[in-house]
């Protein structure tokens, strides 16, 4: 009887705790900003639905013949891999035939049999879906390597995997072959100290390579069947772009993205013998900045992408045109991500967001011209409350047109809103129109979001990018400030309730604005940031050795005293005592790109100067966060910090925080 009584009391206590946690989790804080207090905001979406949804599924991959699918999902609070039949897809998704209960860091299919390749505990395993138990996994890790990656998988049981490894020198990639079982390591080609990239043909032989010359030119070389020597077919000067789509058949030109002799990147057919370039596709305002090849052994691009505001897709082959017909039958703006393809390009899996709706997962049969819905994102339930993003532009103080994207919260008049200015990293990167969970998270909390493609960003031509060289902390920074002021002039942003947010270079710019431009922003979220430019340029990863010329064009040469002085003068850490406003610092303790010690030193300087600073450093994270536990904790810090400083709303405690600690 006492046992029953104690058990009953225990159950009552657990229920009471759960109800208390639910009550706390449901106790959202109303916004304090006047523009939001009278607004009809949509329901607040819990942090867990953004970053730890137990109904979430993602990453569907087709097996080599398209008969099976593997994907990620959540089971008993933990990420697991599911395997199902592609020919049996119902309202709940594919019919599940296996669940892998052991942790997996990465998955991909064999290219000649229906066996799943699983990276787990730093080993590569082959898993038969009919025998998924952990004891049945077969270790096929490439033998004899410390660091390895499979560049090309074997296409038959007698074929070989091509492995790239930098074991010999962290800055140089050598190529090896191994059998599909991981044994039989043999050197395929040795990097002689200047090769930046290898292109392997369908037969598994490297046929194209890209070398860096002594004067920083990039030299493109090819070696066809039967040819003993590599021969040059193209060359680029510093700042020029030439990106090879793949190794073509011997009677076909080489497809490249090319801006030699022009400002904007075009898709070009390049004759390997004469060097003659014939333009296939170009745009008058932006680069043709991406191509998509829908078969692993494809020798030509199927789709080209132009991102002039909303993305525009151009079919280059019959297969590409079929793909686009299935992708956007109504011609509305669409964002997609290729998840997986079969070696022959017959089947493709992808996530699709049409008109900024939550992603849906599809299986395209490109031979039959049929699209099959695999599943809807669990985020679809929030569709009515999501924000829309539109391309905008403004004129900087020197007259240059600056492209940007504006996201406005639902249910609010776009007038005098609390605003977050997003700053992308790189700085040789860009923001694009797409379904963006971070923007949706911020907009749901009531913020207008402006993401600025400041000069120096890629995608808008050489002259636009080159205008940013050497201009970190100066005109690149001016563009960010001018974007914020433009939004105020439009009446959209409240001048007294603006914050910045960025990671890596974006974190640098966010931190610098708080001291270089005092009073413009009330707060900054500074993540994985370069805060001491001199330190960064003297301690860039050694593996970047062949690629540092671009960094020097932006930030200068650390071997030159004049450039070093500029690095010191333009570093946020040099001006911590001048910071005006609140700063939230986040960083990963395993960051090998921008060490979190820079954030620690900046935090010490801010505290010594009596500034308003919060910080959180995440275990098991590097440069960019990948763990859902981190996403949950970060989001909670973020929403509370912004609510305190510029007045949006916050969900307060979310019981997923307990799971993030318990399942850490």
């Amino acid at each position: 009887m006492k046992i029953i009584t104690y058990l009953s009391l225990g159950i009552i206590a657990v229920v009471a705790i759960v109800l208390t946690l639910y009550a706390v989790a449901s106790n959202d804080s109303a916004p304090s900003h006047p523009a939001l207090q009278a607004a009809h905001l949509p329901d607040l979406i819990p942090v867990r639905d953004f970053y730890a949804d137990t109904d979430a599924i993602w990453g569907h991959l087709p097996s080599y013949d398209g008969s099976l699918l593997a994907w990620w999902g959540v089971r008993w609070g933990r990420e697991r891999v599911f395997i199902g039949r592609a020919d049996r897809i119902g309202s709940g998704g594919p019919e599940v035939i296996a669940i892998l209960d052991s942790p997996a860091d990465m998955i991909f299919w064999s290219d000649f049999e229906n066996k799943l390749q699983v990276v787990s505990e730093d080993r590569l395993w082959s898993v038969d879906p009919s025998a998924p138990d952990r004891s049945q996994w077969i270790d096929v890790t490439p033998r004899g390597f410390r660091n390895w990656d499979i560049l090309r998988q074997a296409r038959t049981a007698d074929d070989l995997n091509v492995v790239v490894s930098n074991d010999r020198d962290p800055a140089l990639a050598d190529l090896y072959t191994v059998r599909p079982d991981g044994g039989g390591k043999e050197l395929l080609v040795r990097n002689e100290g200047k090769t930046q990239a290898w292109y392997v043909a369908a037969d598994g032989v490297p046929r194209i390579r890209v070398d860096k010359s002594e004067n920083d030119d990039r030299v493109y070389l090819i070696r066809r069947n039967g040819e003993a020597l590599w021969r040059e077919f193209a060359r680029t000067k510093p700042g020029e772009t030439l990106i090879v789509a793949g190794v073509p058949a011997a009677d076909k030109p080489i497809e490249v993205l090319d801006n030699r002799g022009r400002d904007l990147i075009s898709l070009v057919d390049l004759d390997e013998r004469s060097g003659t370039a014939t333009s296939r596709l170009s745009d008058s305002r932006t680069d043709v900045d991406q191509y998509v090849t829908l078969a692993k052994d494809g020798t030509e691009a199927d789709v080209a992408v132009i991102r002039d505001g909303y993305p525009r897709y151009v079919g280059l082959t019959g297969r590409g045109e079929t793909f686009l017909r299935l992708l956007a039958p109504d011609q509305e703006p669409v964002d997609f991500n290729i998840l997986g393809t079969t070696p022959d390009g017959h089947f493709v899996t992808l996530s699709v967001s049409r008109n900024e709706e939550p992603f849906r997962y599809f299986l395209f049969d490109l031979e039959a011209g049929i699209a099959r819905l695999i599943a809807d994102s669990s985020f679809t339930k929030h569709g009515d409350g999501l924000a829309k993003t539109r391309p905008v532009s403004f004129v900087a103080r020197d007259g240059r047109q600056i492209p940007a994207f504006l996201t406005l919260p639902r249910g609010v008049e776009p007038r005098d809103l609390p605003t977050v200015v997003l700053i992308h990293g790189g700085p040789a990167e860009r923001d694009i129109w797409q379904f963006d969970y971070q923007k949706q998270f911020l907009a749901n909390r009531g913020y207008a979001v402006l993401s600025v493609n400041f000069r120096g960003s890629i995608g808008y031509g050489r002259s636009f990018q080159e205008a940013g060289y050497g201009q970190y902390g100066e005109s690149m920074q001016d563009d960010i400030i001018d974007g914020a002021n433009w939004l105020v002039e439009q009446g959209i942003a409240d001048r007294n309730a603006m914050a910045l947010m960025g990671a890596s270079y974006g974190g640098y710019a966010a931190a610098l604005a708080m001291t270089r431009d005092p009073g413009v922003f009330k707060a900054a979220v500074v993540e994985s940031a370069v805060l001491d430019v001199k330190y960064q340029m003297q301690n860039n990863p050694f593996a970047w050795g062949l690629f540092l010329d671009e960094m020097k064009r932006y930030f200068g040469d650390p071997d030159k005293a004049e450039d070093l002085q500029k690095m010191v003068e333009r570093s946020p850490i040099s001006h911590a005592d001048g910071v005006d406003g609140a700063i939230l610092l986040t960083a990963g303790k395993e960051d090998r790109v921008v060490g979190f010690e820079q954030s620690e030193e900046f935090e010490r300087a801010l505290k010594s100067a009596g500034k308003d600073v919060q910080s959180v450093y995440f275990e098991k994270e590097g440069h960019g966060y990948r763990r859902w536990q981190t996403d949950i904790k970060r989001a909670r810090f973020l929403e509370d910090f912004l609510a305190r400083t510029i007045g949006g709303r916050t969900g307060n405690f979310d019981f997923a925080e307990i799971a993030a600690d318990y399942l850490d």
Side-chain angles (χ1 to χ4, degrees), residues 573-637:
I573 200 166
S574 300
H575 307 284
D577 58 349
V579 164
D580 181 16
I583 290 181
L584 172 63
L585 292 167
T586 85
K589 287 189 175 182
E590 297 180 6
D591 192 337
R592 301 292 184 262
V593 176
V594 179
F596 86 102
E597 64 270 15
Q598 293 191 48
S599 296
E600 283 188 315
E601 292 299 324
F602 190 51
E603 179 188 5
R604 291 190 186 99
L606 290 173
K607 287 182 174 178
S608 295
K611 303 301 179 181
D612 182 350
V613 57
Q614 293 177 250
S615 65
V616 55
Y617 304 120
F618 297 109
E619 306 284 350
K620 305 178 185 178
E621 292 289 9
H623 196 65
Y625 306 141
R626 61 180 181 82
R627 305 176 72 241
W628 68 266
Q629 296 95 328
T630 301
D631 290 335
I632 286 287
K633 296 173 184 178
R634 171 187 172 273
R636 285 288 301 114
F637 275 103

Side-chain angles (χ1 to χ4, degrees), residues 280-323:
R280 292 185 60 191
L281 180 66
S282 61
D283 186 76
S284 61
R285 297 194 298 182
T286 60
D287 293 335
V288 180
D289 67 351
Q290 186 182 353
Y291 56 80
V292 179
T293 300
L294 295 168
K296 290 184 179 180
D297 288 333
T299 59
E300 56 185 345
D302 295 298
V303 175
V305 184
I306 299 171
R307 300 188 186 277
D308 183 9
Y310 297 112
R312 178 159 57 94
Y313 308 112
V314 180
L316 304 172
T317 63
R319 180 162 50 199
E321 291 175 350
T322 299
F323 176 85

Side-chain angles (χ1 to χ4, degrees), residues 181-195:
D181 65 6
K185 172 185 175 182
E186 289 189 13
L187 179 67
L188 178 61
V189 59
R190 177 187 172 96
N191 193 326
E192 298 301 332
K194 54 190 176 182
T195 300

Side-chain angles (χ1 to χ4, degrees), residues 233-250:
F233 69 87
R235 180 181 291 255
T236 60
K237 300 294 183 183
E240 294 180 330
T241 295
L242 194 147
I243 301 172
V244 178
V247 181

Side-chain angles (χ1 to χ4, degrees), residues 204-424:
V205 178
R207 299 293 183 191
I208 293 177
R209 78 175 204 240
V210 184
D211 286 0
K212 183 178 179 181
S213 70
E214 293 181 358
N215 66 350
D216 287 340
D217 286 357
R218 283 183 172 82
V219 183
Y220 294 73
L221 303 110
I222 191 168
R223 183 172 61 183
R224 292 291 192 178
N225 292 357
E227 294 182 335
L229 300 177
W230 292 91
R231 52 186 169 82
E232 179 180 336
F233 69 87
R235 180 181 291 255
T236 60
K237 300 294 183 183
E240 294 180 330
T241 295
L242 194 147
I243 301 172
V244 178
V247 181
D251 58 343
K252 297 287 187 180
I254 302 171
E255 289 183 327
V256 297
L257 295 175
D258 185 4
N259 70 353
R260 294 172 302 162
R262 63 176 70 86
D263 185 48
L264 296 168
I265 296 174
S266 298
L267 181 67
V268 167
D269 284 341
L270 186 62
D271 185 282
E272 65 184 76
R273 294 287 181 180
S274 67
T276 302
T278 305
S279 179
R280 292 185 60 191
L281 180 66
S282 61
D283 186 76
S284 61
R285 297 194 298 182
T286 60
D287 293 335
V288 180
D289 67 351
Q290 186 182 353
Y291 56 80
V292 179
T293 300
L294 295 168
K296 290 184 179 180
D297 288 333
T299 59
E300 56 185 345
D302 295 298
V303 175
V305 184
I306 299 171
R307 300 188 186 277
D308 183 9
Y310 297 112
R312 178 159 57 94
Y313 308 112
V314 180
L316 304 172
T317 63
R319 180 162 50 199
E321 291 175 350
T322 299
F323 176 85
L324 293 181
R325 177 176 58 80
L326 300 176
L327 176 70
D330 299 325
Q331 301 300 310
E332 72 267 54
V334 61
D335 171 33
F336 74 93
N337 296 294
I338 298 290
L339 303 177
T341 69
T342 55
D344 59 2
H346 184 162
F347 296 100
V348 177
T349 52
L350 63 161
S351 58
V352 179
S353 171
R354 295 181 175 126
N355 201 24
E356 234 171 332
E357 296 174 349
F359 283 111
R360 310 179 82 194
Y361 304 104
F362 286 90
L363 172 66
F364 284 5
D365 181 335
L366 295 179
E367 291 190 7
I370 297 172
R372 299 187 66 193
L373 177 65
I374 299 172
D376 285 325
S377 163
S378 60
F379 212 69
T380 301
K381 60 181 175 285
H382 299 300
D384 292 341
L386 298 179
K388 297 296 183 184
T389 298
R390 59 185 173 92
V392 296
S393 64
F394 59 88
V395 179
R397 64 190 66 181
D398 65 353
R400 184 178 292 273
Q401 197 81 16
I402 305 296
F405 293 92
L406 177 62
T407 307
L408 295 173
R410 292 281 288 267
V412 183
E413 181 185 357
R415 188 79 184 167
D416 293 327
L417 297 176
T419 297
V420 176
V421 176
L422 287 181
I423 312 170
H424 67 69

